[in-house]
Amino acid sequence: MTPPTCKATAPHQSLWLPWLARFNGAALGAALMAAAPVALAQPAVPSVTVAAPLSQPVTEWQEHTARIEASARVEIRARVSGQVAEVHFTDGAIVRAGDLLFTLDQRPYLIALDNARAEVARNEARLLLARQQVARYEPLAASRIAPQAELDTRRATLREAQAGLAAAQSAERQAALDLEFTEIRAPRPGRVSDRRVDAGNLVQQGETAMTTLLALDPVYVTFDASEAEYLRQARSARTGLRGASLPIQLRLLDETEFSREGRVDFVDSAFDPRSGTIRIRAVMPNPDLFLTPGSFARLRLSTGEEPALLVPDAAVMADQTGRLVLTVAPDGTVTPRQVRLGQLRDGLRVVRSGLVAEDRVIIGGLHRARPGMRVMAEPGSIGPGPLAAVTQGAIR
């Protein structure tokens, strides 16, 4: 006999089971319809801007660390001995050629000059007397009243008086020159160092260093070039490195641009056997006297114009292997290229190797490109300036 509870629940279950089946089927269908767009949606292909490298001739440069030197260095020394009477310059001052620097005590040299002038006057008197004696004895010897030997003696005395006067005049000029040397003047324009002697000190002729004068306009810029750099530079110059007077550009350590220009004027005669380098010197104008001897600078030397490929500097990336740029293959795949870089010119970087003129370099949208992925390439162009001039598509 069937229990009553079972009879009551059987009809109830028979009614609910079909309804639940229909509800579950509808819910499952709705879930599948909602999930279908998600499953069928594909990620959008990112777009980048590409351009061929800019091909044009560029001036190649070799960079060196250079040292600035004075074009002339003069040790100021006294040409006569004496006591320093006065100092006429301020330490470190700019002087012109002929400016008075020191004065020595002139009194001993004034006395010597007076003595020399007196000696000249004495010899002039002797010469006058000798001429009168000769003039007097010539007619007497001609008429045989006076012997010829006496006339010869008078003539010898005349020549001796002439020589004596010439010697006295030379001594006078020397005394005047010594007096002039008591005023020590700048032999050329430049900047003087500090004084080494003060008023009251005794100085010895040619021995006592009194100060130093440096010529600062122009200045010399010297640097050492390796044998490989020398050979490359010498072969690129049409007239050779020594006769080419090649231009150089200079920047100081706190400057970013090579704004100063000069020219090579000297190449040493041999390589240094210890370092394998050769010394090269350039002349650079220094009208504002800002370039100071002894300081260091960066110098670059032109090696002539060569064809080159240029890309925006912002398009160059770096990884553990070096520098690279991203290119787009014909099938739209991003391909990295290892490159060897050169100088920076107007915001464009010279690529020495690693690219060809037909490559499509990514210049815009670099943050969306990864090696190996597919992208949509939009054409652009590279122009001079800090950024690429894009003709289609902006840098996103």
Side-chain angles (χ1 to χ4, degrees), residues 7-359:
K7 291 181 179 181
T9 57
H12 180 74
Q13 291 178 350
S14 62
L15 294 173
W16 277 97
L17 286 176
W19 185 85
L20 288 174
R22 290 195 301 269
F23 177 79
N24 290 336
L28 179 60
L32 291 175
M33 292 298 292
V38 178
L40 295 177
Q42 297 292 332
V45 177
S47 63
V48 296
T49 305
V50 299
L54 181 63
S55 179
Q56 65 180 24
V58 298
T59 303
E60 293 290 334
W61 302 89
Q62 290 180 3
E63 289 199 16
H64 303 272
T65 298
R67 192 179 188 94
I68 299 173
E69 299 178 355
S71 57
R73 181 186 181 92
V74 182
E75 293 284 343
I76 305 297
R77 300 176 185 269
R79 301 178 68 176
V80 293
S81 300
Q83 186 181 44
V84 178
E86 192 173 356
V87 180
H88 300 277
F89 69 94
T90 303
D91 294 347
I94 300 295
V95 297
R96 297 171 297 179
D99 284 355
L100 186 60
L101 303 179
F102 297 92
T103 300
L104 303 183
D105 187 3
Q106 296 182 340
R107 291 173 297 177
Y109 297 97
L110 287 171
I111 295 173
L113 180 59
D114 290 341
N115 288 335
R117 289 171 176 170
E119 190 65 24
V120 169
R122 182 183 295 112
N123 282 274
E124 287 176 346
R126 290 176 179 173
L127 178 60
L128 178 60
L129 178 60
R131 285 175 176 170
Q132 291 174 349
Q133 293 289 344
V134 170
R136 185 179 299 115
Y137 271 84
E138 281 179 346
L140 296 178
S143 59
R144 299 181 181 275
I145 298 175
Q148 185 66 32
E150 186 67 23
L151 179 60
D152 293 340
T153 301
R154 300 301 178 183
R155 286 175 175 172
T157 303
L158 174 61
R159 290 192 293 271
E160 182 179 354
Q162 290 173 339
L165 178 59
Q169 289 173 340
S170 297
E172 181 187 13
R173 289 194 296 271
Q174 182 61 52
L177 191 59
D178 290 342
L179 178 62
E180 182 181 344
F181 287 161
T182 59
E183 293 182 345
I184 302 171
R185 299 180 179 273
R188 61 188 309 153
R191 187 188 299 274
V192 291
S193 181
D194 59 332
R195 62 186 182 277
R196 309 293 173 79
V197 293
D198 293 308
N201 287 287
L202 290 173
V203 296
Q204 296 296 321
Q205 176 183 359
E207 295 183 5
T208 307
M210 307 180 75
T211 189
T212 303
L213 173 65
L214 299 182
L216 300 180
D217 186 21
V219 294
Y220 288 149
V221 182
T222 61
F223 61 97
D224 296 324
S226 66
E227 185 174 355
E229 292 170 338
Y230 170 81
L231 292 176
R232 179 186 176 189
Q233 189 68 54
R235 294 184 189 280
S236 64
R238 294 182 179 179
T239 58
L241 185 59
R242 300 180 184 276
S245 186
L246 297 176
I248 62 109
Q249 294 182 350
L250 188 81
R251 69 173 178 85
L252 300 180
L253 298 183
D254 62 341
E255 296 176 344
T256 58
E257 300 292 335
F258 289 86
S259 57
R260 305 173 188 272
E261 297 184 353
R263 288 194 170 272
V264 171
D265 78 320
F266 167 75
V267 180
D268 209 347
S269 56
F271 284 90
D272 188 338
R274 295 170 297 179
S275 61
T277 60
I278 192 168
R279 186 168 62 95
I280 303 177
R281 187 185 71 192
V283 178
M284 178 160 294
N286 188 27
D288 57 355
L289 307 182
F290 187 75
L291 299 177
T292 305
S295 60
F296 289 93
R298 289 294 293 174
L299 174 146
R300 65 181 187 181
L301 180 65
S302 172
T303 59
E305 285 193 350
E306 295 182 2
L309 299 178
L310 298 93
V311 299
D313 195 43
V316 180
M317 307 175 66
D319 63 3
Q320 294 179 350
T321 61
R323 301 288 181 174
L324 56 89
V325 297
L326 298 181
T327 62
V328 178
D331 61 354
T333 304
V334 176
T335 305
R337 294 290 184 87
Q338 295 287 338
V339 293
R340 186 169 65 90
L341 302 178
Q343 61 182 331
L344 185 65
R345 176 181 177 181
D346 296 331
L348 301 179
R349 179 67 66 176
V350 174
V351 179
R352 299 189 185 278
S353 63
L355 284 181
V356 295
E358 293 77 17
D359 284 332

